[in-house]
């Protein structure tokens, strides 16, 4: 389970890097605004038929998230060039045998990131995950049932725990 969470976090980080390379305002046509946090969340929730009120609330939360993410990038000195380097490093190492934290560390090293920059990527990912979690919380039970299980908590403890106990073979 922990590996799934780490893989999801890595995938989201890679998406962030790709999205942050070029501001949405500079993109034209179909590309404009396509990779903003709001657009990414909306795409992940496309099968649940969001109401206008839900879309509006997600947009509002996404604006806050974008401001926070911009601040994180600026504070850590994450330039589009560094973000592109990290994306390229992730692509180069995606088929490696490394997984989870070991893979993230190798990607950061290959991209030439210092500790503060690597920590900034973790913070960016946390902001994105919070936006997705808060967006899912807006959904009705019927809408949540249409989502992939990775987007919805799995039980009272959010999927954490040891699972079912095996019965004694007595």
């Amino acid at each position: 389970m922990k590996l799934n969470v780490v893989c999801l976090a890595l995938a989201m980080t890679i998406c962030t890097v790709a999205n942050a390379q070029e501001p949405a305002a500079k993109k034209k046509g179909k590309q404009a605004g396509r990779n903003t946090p709001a657009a990414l969340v909306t795409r992940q929730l496309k099968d649940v038929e969001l109401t206008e009120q839900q879309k509006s609330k997600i947009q509002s939360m996404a604006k806050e998230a974008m401001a926070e993410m911009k601040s994180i990038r600026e504070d850590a000195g994450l330039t589009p060039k560094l973000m592109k380097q990290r994306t390229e490093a992730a692509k180069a190492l995606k088929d490696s045998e490394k997984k989870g934290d070991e893979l993230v560390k190798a990607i950061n090293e290959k991209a030439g990131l210092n500790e503060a920059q690597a920590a900034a990527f973790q913070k960016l990912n946390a902001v994105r995950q919070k936006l997705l979690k808060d967006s899912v919380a807006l959904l009705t039970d019927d809408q949540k049932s249409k989502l992939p299980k990775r987007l919805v908590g799995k039980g009272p403890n959010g999927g954490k725990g040891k699972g079912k106990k095996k019965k004694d073979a007595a």
Side-chain angles (χ1 to χ4, degrees):
M1 179 63 200
K2 186 175 182 180
L3 180 62
N4 290 341
V5 172
V6 172
C7 289
L8 177 61
L10 176 62
M12 293 178 76
T13 301
I14 292 170
C15 290
T16 300
V17 173
N19 297 339
Q21 290 178 17
E22 184 178 340
K26 292 184 180 179
K27 296 181 183 181
K28 297 180 181 177
K30 291 182 181 179
Q31 292 284 339
R34 189 174 116 196
N35 290 323
T36 64
L40 292 171
V41 169
T42 303
R43 270 201 309 270
Q44 288 181 310
L45 303 178
K46 69 180 178 185
D47 294 335
V48 301
E49 301 170 9
L50 295 171
T51 66
E52 289 304 315
Q53 183 180 10
Q54 289 169 325
K55 288 178 186 178
S56 174
K57 182 68 175 170
I58 290 171
Q59 288 289 337
S60 174
M61 291 186 308
K63 282 182 183 179
E64 293 174 19
M66 286 173 42
E68 186 176 352
M69 292 166 76
K70 181 179 179 183
S71 174
I72 292 169
R73 285 192 304 268
E74 289 174 354
D75 290 347
L78 295 179
T79 63
K81 181 180 177 183
L82 275 176
M83 297 177 96
K84 184 175 182 179
Q85 287 174 333
R86 190 169 190 284
T87 300
E88 291 170 357
K91 286 179 183 177
L93 293 171
K94 100 176 171 182
D95 292 330
S96 74
E97 294 183 15
K98 297 178 181 179
K99 302 291 179 203
D101 291 338
E102 183 182 7
L103 178 59
V104 171
K105 184 177 179 182
I107 290 170
N108 290 338
E109 286 176 5
K110 185 172 178 82
L113 300 179
N114 62 36
E115 286 184 33
Q117 292 165 332
F121 274 103
Q122 286 182 320
K123 289 178 185 177
L124 290 171
N125 193 40
V127 171
R128 192 173 14 283
Q129 286 178 341
K130 182 181 182 320
L131 174 61
L132 182 59
K133 181 181 174 184
D134 292 348
S135 298
V136 169
L138 295 173
L139 304 178
T140 65
D141 289 339
D142 186 46
Q143 288 173 316
K144 288 178 185 178
S145 70
K146 296 177 185 177
L147 289 175
K149 289 184 180 180
R150 67 178 173 76
L151 295 179
V152 183
K154 300 168 188 80
N157 60 358
K160 297 176 184 171
K162 296 180 181 177
K164 293 182 179 181
K165 292 183 180 180
K166 293 182 181 179
K167 294 183 179 179
D168 293 335

